[in-house]
Amino acid sequence: MNRLQQALDALVERIDTPSPIILADVMQENIDRMQAFADRQGLQVRPHVKTHKCVEIGRRQIKAGAVGITAGNVGEAEVFAAAGFDDIFIAYPIWPAGTKGPRIRKLAETIRLRVGVDNLAAIDALADAMGDNADQLQVVIEVDCGARRSGAAPEYAGELAAAARNRGLVPAGVFTYPGHGGSGPDARERAARDQDAALTTAVRSLAAIGITAEVVSAGSTPTVAFATNSVITEIRPGEYIFNDLGNARLGACTEDQIALFVAGTVVSDWVPDQVMLDVGTKAIGREGTPEIGYGGIAGTNAVLSRLNEYHGFLPLPEGDFRPSVGTVVPVVPNHVCPVVVNFEEYIVTDSTGTSLERWAVDARGFNN
Amino acid sequence: MNRLQQALDALVERIDTPSPIILADVMQENIDRMQAFADRQGLQVRPHVKTHKCVEIGRRQIKAGAVGITAGNVGEAEVFAAAGFDDIFIAYPIWPAGTKGPRIRKLAETIRLRVGVDNLAAIDALADAMGDNADQLQVVIEVDCGARRSGAAPEYAGELAAAARNRGLVPAGVFTYPGHGGSGPDARERAARDQDAALTTAVRSLAAIGITAEVVSAGSTPTVAFATNSVITEIRPGEYIFNDLGNARLGACTEDQIALFVAGTVVSDWVPDQVMLDVGTKAIGREGTPEIGYGGIAGTNAVLSRLNEYHGFLPLPEGDFRPSVGTVVPVVPNHVCPVVVNFEEYIVTDSTGTSLERWAVDARGFNN
């Protein structure tokens, strides 16, 4: 991760901390590597924008060959649609409460919109929200593959697709999320196998009632390498754009493929063998455990042992790493996705740290 | 917490979820109660705006009698200064790196600005940043009272104050944060005693070199009830504005004094004895433990057992609480402060749920 430190050294006089720093060259390599993998496997890439919430980054993913984007909620979809993205899948079991019904209808009348559903009540509610224009909304049936989160039993997918069709909605296919693939290196491949099995069952369940699954959509950065020779037509990785310590631990990326860090300053050093950074939960979220810590300093063994809102507790391991007050260090998150909600903008540079642009976190704060 | 459910029932057709809902009447009671307590004790209130980051709420705190506000970083201070707040204390050991030096100087030339310091290097850096106008910046010496976070040893406060005076800065007093007061009901009073002892030592340390501490500033919502008959002149509570389950567990508030919840919708119910809410880490942060959960449903025993970014896992306890898909429920955070970074605005109502205003989270995203 020396690229991170090198870039930071070149930038340090021009930035305030804490702030999220992107190395655009490493990010572009991540985009290109994922697209090349998918192209070789005959898969379509529909990146999940929850990780970056940034229009400029979404454009680079599309330019590299992505067929559209995945969003986590209606607010994200609205921000990207307003910026010209015309093919969006909200991979979430949407319930059109409050003003969400009219918002979904408006989006569906403007772009190609797909939304997730996993139950009959939501299908009825979506059809009611669409009124005479139900055929402008594509629904994708979510099935569970072992994460025990959302998603119908795979063998029930056909019944849901039929119900959607009966209400005039367009059943476009099936999707799942192998969320149990993040719990250890071995779990990745097992979760990918579970994913494949669940999607295969779901596709057959649709076929049994005469519906062809146009899209068979799968996660995720940790499991995508195993999405080969499969029923899958589309992958929805999100974290690959930046990567993080969690994915490095799982073997889903190398440390050199980490494209984002949070620059933090040592602000206090009164406690022996510990310094305080200005990187707390309001910069990187509380992602981690007491055992693995809450984020690491690139190029060192030091990890944040505890976080308050604006304070990160950094015990100093044995060795040469003894940053003094005022030193700016690169903090690599365990899980990069929650970083994005904390900031108005990214600082964008490259591995040399020479360039400096600021990109808005466009969909930050639009969480419903 | 029935007020929360009652307000939500009245609002539910007019809101999207997840969204943070404030009961303005409960919040005003919290403001008035804290101010009345401080008035009785002869203490000044300088509320910490990190909890709400909202100009309108800060104005209500000032209107009730607060002498100014506390901010956690320069960005928050800038947002509130631009909105007319003219007395701001950044209670943080500031290091004026990057563009922060000029930003602090500009603020100090515009309003009465106090910043925290706990080391000689920061005093020099602040004095350098202020140039000829060092006397426009007040510094408050941070001392540690047992949280082992930031803050000098209390007996060293005088040396730091003298160094600040020698560089032309204005040493205004001392402050501390009893962060170890949040770990259990008994710990509150013990931490308050530690706080008092540390501040007393620090005040004497200043007096020994001929500096009178104009301000002797203390935290915090959990410990403030014990700030009586003390050297303390000012309190900086933050969480009291909304309260949360953490403060209720500590006995620092009652459940009826909780003024904020996050409205969440049941979006899926495929797993037996569990439903999924659209309230995840990007709505309430990952505040909690597997033992106490990550947030509770007001008026029930149900707590979120796990969070993903957009998903909250809600096991259903024995009993009557069996919300169906589409039900909107009030989620009360364990720790309210991290909620604020996730949203562009608050939904503001009262206990009847009749009124509906939207207040911007003005300082959201301004984290450096």
Side-chain angles (χ1 to χ4, degrees):
Chain A
M1 295 192 280
N2 286 340
R3 293 210 264 192
L4 308 187
Q5 183 67 59
Q6 180 184 332
L8 178 56
D9 289 344
L11 276 179
V12 71
E13 299 295 329
R14 291 173 286 160
I15 60 167
D16 292 328
T17 65
S19 49
I21 316 282
I22 294 174
L23 303 192
D25 50 347
V26 181
M27 181 183 78
Q28 190 64 47
E29 291 163 15
N30 293 344
I31 293 172
D32 294 342
R33 188 183 318 104
M34 183 64 75
Q35 189 65 49
F37 165 81
D39 290 347
R40 281 196 306 277
Q41 303 297 336
L43 296 167
Q44 296 192 310
V45 184
R46 184 180 289 277
H48 207 312
V49 300
K50 67 175 184 171
T51 309
H52 58 72
K53 289 182 177 262
C54 171
V55 165
E56 175 60 30
I57 297 175
R59 288 193 180 125
R60 290 179 186 221
Q61 291 171 311
I62 297 288
K63 190 175 170 200
V67 293
I69 59 168
T70 304
N73 55 39
V74 180
E76 284 177 3
E78 287 171 332
V79 169
F80 280 82
F85 290 74
D86 59 3
D87 186 342
I88 302 180
F89 172 29
I90 305 176
Y92 195 84
I94 288 289
W95 182 266
T99 61
K100 238 175 232 169
R103 291 165 65 202
I104 289 169
R105 177 170 177 161
K106 188 172 168 206
L107 268 180
E109 290 169 352
T110 313
I111 63 166
R112 184 170 88 156
L113 183 69
R114 288 175 172 166
V115 303
V117 288
D118 81 352
N119 64 82
L120 293 168
I123 288 167
D124 279 336
L126 284 167
D128 290 345
M130 291 299 297
D132 294 339
N133 285 335
D135 63 348
Q136 293 188 21
L137 183 63
Q138 300 193 9
V139 298
V140 188
I141 311 301
E142 182 174 10
V143 298
D144 180 45
C145 65
R148 310 287 286 167
R149 191 172 78 171
S150 46
E155 54 274 18
Y156 192 70
E159 190 170 328
L160 290 170
R165 188 176 54 183
N166 290 343
R167 287 299 314 266
L169 300 165
V170 179
V174 295
F175 80 107
T176 193
Y177 175 69
H180 53 318
S183 55
D186 295 341
R188 290 170 61 206
E189 189 166 358
R190 205 165 49 238
R193 277 201 308 271
D194 293 346
Q195 172 173 264
D196 206 33
L199 289 172
T200 301
T201 301
V203 167
R204 286 186 188 141
S205 168
L206 262 64
I209 53 150
I211 296 179
T212 302
E214 184 195 330
V215 62
V216 183
S217 180
S220 68
T221 298
T223 57
V224 75
F226 306 100
T228 57
N229 302 314
S230 147
V231 68
I232 295 166
T233 66
E234 169 184 288
I235 53 175
R236 307 185 313 276
E239 296 169 357
Y240 81 100
I241 189 78
F242 298 141
N243 289 312
D244 54 26
L245 290 183
N247 279 292
R249 284 189 200 102
L250 289 171
C253 70
T254 66
E255 293 199 345
D256 279 346
Q257 292 166 357
I258 294 177
L260 181 147
F261 63 89
V262 175
T265 299
V266 176
V267 294
S268 182
D269 66 351
W270 270 91
V271 178
D273 299 321
Q274 174 186 291
V275 294
M276 297 304 304
L277 299 185
D278 59 0
V279 174
T281 57
K282 281 180 174 169
I284 54 169
R286 194 183 298 284
E287 300 289 309
T289 64
E291 290 70 39
I292 64 166
Y294 296 89
I297 311 302
T300 79
N301 295 321
V303 296
L304 294 165
S305 64
R306 236 180 100 197
L307 301 177
N308 290 165
E309 284 160 70
Y310 298 110
H311 297 77
F313 293 67
L314 186 68
L316 297 174
E318 303 277 331
D320 293 338
F321 182 61
R322 301 270 127 188
S324 55
V325 169
T327 305
V328 181
V329 296
V331 179
V332 183
N334 282 325
H335 180 200
V336 72
C337 297
V339 171
V340 77
V341 293
N342 298 297
F343 296 100
E344 292 288 299
E345 62 184 19
Y346 296 107
I347 307 279
V348 185
T349 185
D350 60 26
S351 296
T352 69
T354 315
S355 61
L356 194 161
E357 291 180 51
R358 292 169 192 276
W359 294 354
V361 180
D362 304 280
R364 173 237 349 99
F366 297 91
N367 279 333
N368 65 34
Chain B
M1 296 193 279
N2 286 341
R3 292 211 264 192
L4 308 187
Q5 184 68 57
Q6 180 183 333
L8 178 57
D9 288 345
L11 277 179
V12 71
E13 299 294 328
R14 293 173 284 160
I15 60 168
D16 292 327
T17 66
S19 50
I21 316 281
I22 294 173
L23 303 192
D25 50 347
V26 181
M27 182 182 78
Q28 190 64 48
E29 291 164 14
N30 293 343
I31 293 172
D32 294 341
R33 187 182 320 104
M34 183 63 75
Q35 189 67 48
F37 165 81
D39 290 346
R40 282 197 305 277
Q41 302 297 335
L43 296 168
Q44 297 192 310
V45 185
R46 185 181 287 278
H48 207 313
V49 300
K50 68 174 185 174
T51 309
H52 58 71
K53 288 181 178 263
C54 171
V55 164
E56 176 60 29
I57 297 176
R59 287 193 181 124
R60 291 179 185 221
Q61 291 171 311
I62 296 288
K63 190 175 172 199
V67 293
I69 59 169
T70 304
N73 55 38
V74 179
E76 284 177 5
E78 287 170 333
V79 169
F80 280 81
F85 292 73
D86 60 3
D87 187 343
I88 302 180
F89 172 28
I90 306 176
Y92 194 84
I94 287 289
W95 181 266
T99 61
K100 238 176 231 168
R103 290 165 65 200
I104 289 170
R105 177 169 176 161
K106 189 174 167 203
L107 269 179
E109 290 169 354
T110 313
I111 64 167
R112 184 169 88 156
L113 182 68
R114 288 175 173 167
V115 301
V117 288
D118 81 351
N119 64 81
L120 294 169
I123 288 168
D124 279 335
L126 285 167
D128 290 346
M130 291 301 296
D132 294 340
N133 285 336
D135 63 348
Q136 294 189 20
L137 182 64
Q138 299 193 9
V139 298
V140 188
I141 311 299
E142 182 174 8
V143 298
D144 179 46
C145 66
R148 310 288 287 167
R149 190 172 78 171
S150 47
E155 53 275 16
Y156 192 71
E159 189 170 327
L160 290 170
R165 187 175 56 182
N166 289 343
R167 287 299 312 268
L169 300 165
V170 180
V174 295
F175 81 106
T176 192
Y177 175 70
H180 53 319
S183 54
D186 296 341
R188 289 171 60 206
E189 189 165 0
R190 206 164 51 237
R193 279 202 307 272
D194 293 345
Q195 172 173 264
D196 206 33
L199 289 171
T200 301
T201 301
V203 167
R204 286 184 186 141
S205 168
L206 262 65
I209 54 151
I211 296 178
T212 302
E214 185 196 328
V215 63
V216 183
S217 181
S220 67
T221 298
T223 57
V224 75
F226 307 99
T228 59
N229 302 313
S230 149
V231 68
I232 295 166
T233 66
E234 170 185 288
I235 53 175
R236 308 184 313 277
E239 294 168 359
Y240 80 100
I241 189 78
F242 297 140
N243 289 313
D244 53 27
L245 291 183
N247 279 291
R249 283 190 200 102
L250 289 172
C253 71
T254 67
E255 292 198 346
D256 279 347
Q257 294 165 357
I258 294 176
L260 180 146
F261 64 88
V262 175
T265 300
V266 176
V267 294
S268 182
D269 66 352
W270 270 90
V271 178
D273 298 322
Q274 173 186 292
V275 293
M276 297 305 305
L277 299 185
D278 58 359
V279 174
T281 57
K282 281 180 174 168
I284 54 169
R286 194 183 298 284
E287 301 288 310
T289 63
E291 290 71 38
I292 65 168
Y294 296 89
I297 310 303
T300 79
N301 295 321
V303 296
L304 295 165
S305 64
R306 238 180 100 197
L307 301 176
N308 291 166
E309 285 160 67
Y310 298 109
H311 296 77
F313 294 66
L314 185 69
L316 296 174
E318 303 277 330
D320 293 338
F321 182 60
R322 302 268 126 190
S324 56
V325 170
T327 306
V328 181
V329 297
V331 180
V332 183
N334 282 324
H335 180 200
V336 73
C337 296
V339 171
V340 77
V341 294
N342 297 298
F343 295 99
E344 293 287 300
E345 62 183 20
Y346 296 106
I347 307 278
V348 185
T349 185
D350 61 25
S351 296
T352 70
T354 314
S355 61
L356 193 161
E357 290 180 51
R358 293 169 193 275
W359 294 354
V361 181
D362 303 281
R364 171 236 354 97
F366 297 91
N367 279 333
N368 65 35

